[in-house]
Amino acid sequence: MKINEYQQDDILEDRIDFYYRRKTQEVTDILDFLKKHRLRLSGKTNEREILFSLNEVYYFESVDKKIFAYLEHEVVQIDDLRLQDLENAYFELGFIRVNKSTVLNVYKINALKPALNMRVVALLDNGEKIQINRSYKAKFNSFLNMMNQGGF
């Protein structure tokens, strides 16, 4: 893949034009990264409000009817969202429900390991482990297959 980069001081807004012959997995991954990086979310951590990129999120988790976004080094509480809303909004960007309380960013998975009772454990880039329950496993596997075939 050829990459050209240009600095132009007189433009009003940064811009990326991306040309491709076929929508391969590599192209899909790059486009997903760019889309997620552009999306900003806000939340609270230690009583201060922060903005963060969707691309920074490893997973979302529901605990006591509150939603938390887990970043590499921070946990951020997000108001007024449900896990179902997050999965629906960000499904095509690599976020999928893997158990009753977790929506996982598949781009943060380092490895998958089988576990007991037909479950799978996702080992994340930051060292955390997320369990993929068997009732969500078929949907998760078809999601990965769709991604591998450039389905998004």
Side-chain angles (χ1 to χ4, degrees):
M1 179 181 298
K2 182 178 174 183
I3 298 175
N4 297 318
E5 183 180 327
Y6 306 98
Q7 181 177 347
Q8 192 173 344
D9 296 329
D10 62 339
I11 60 174
L12 299 175
E13 183 179 24
D14 293 335
R15 180 181 93 203
I16 295 174
D17 295 324
F18 192 70
Y19 301 90
Y20 55 88
R21 289 176 290 155
R22 281 186 1 261
K23 196 166 188 177
T24 63
Q25 185 59 46
E26 181 180 30
V27 168
T28 301
D29 290 349
I30 292 168
L31 291 172
D32 284 349
F33 174 83
L34 293 171
K35 289 174 188 172
K36 284 193 294 188
H37 188 72
R38 188 177 66 204
L39 290 171
R40 295 279 182 202
L41 299 172
S42 67
K44 290 181 186 173
T45 179
N46 297 329
E47 296 306 316
R48 67 183 172 111
E49 190 80 19
I50 67 166
L51 283 172
F52 56 95
S53 163
L54 182 63
N55 198 53
E56 297 176 74
V57 177
Y58 281 74
Y59 60 95
F60 295 101
E61 184 176 38
S62 175
V63 178
D64 295 331
K65 297 186 180 185
K66 296 177 185 172
I67 302 295
F68 296 91
Y70 288 76
L71 313 180
E72 186 172 13
H73 300 292
E74 290 186 280
V75 178
V76 181
Q77 182 179 343
I78 302 172
D79 295 326
D80 302 328
L81 290 173
R82 298 176 318 148
L83 283 181
Q84 188 64 48
D85 299 334
L86 292 165
E87 183 183 20
N88 291 341
Y90 305 131
F91 182 79
E92 290 187 1
L93 299 176
F95 286 84
I96 182 134
R97 187 83 163 257
V98 294
N99 61 49
K100 184 179 178 182
S101 63
T102 308
V103 173
L104 178 63
N105 180 353
V106 297
Y107 292 107
K108 299 294 186 181
I109 297 174
N110 190 27
L112 294 170
K113 294 198 174 200
L116 295 175
N117 296 330
M118 306 243 334
R119 295 180 179 147
V120 175
V121 173
L123 304 173
L124 306 184
D125 293 339
N126 65 355
E128 288 194 59
K129 297 175 183 176
I130 300 294
Q131 189 166 339
I132 302 167
N133 288 354
R134 63 181 175 206
S135 59
Y136 293 88
K137 187 176 161 190
K139 184 177 178 185
F140 179 77
N141 287 338
S142 63
F143 181 82
L144 291 181
N145 288 334
M146 192 175 3
M147 285 183 61
N148 286 335
Q149 296 168 3
F152 293 121

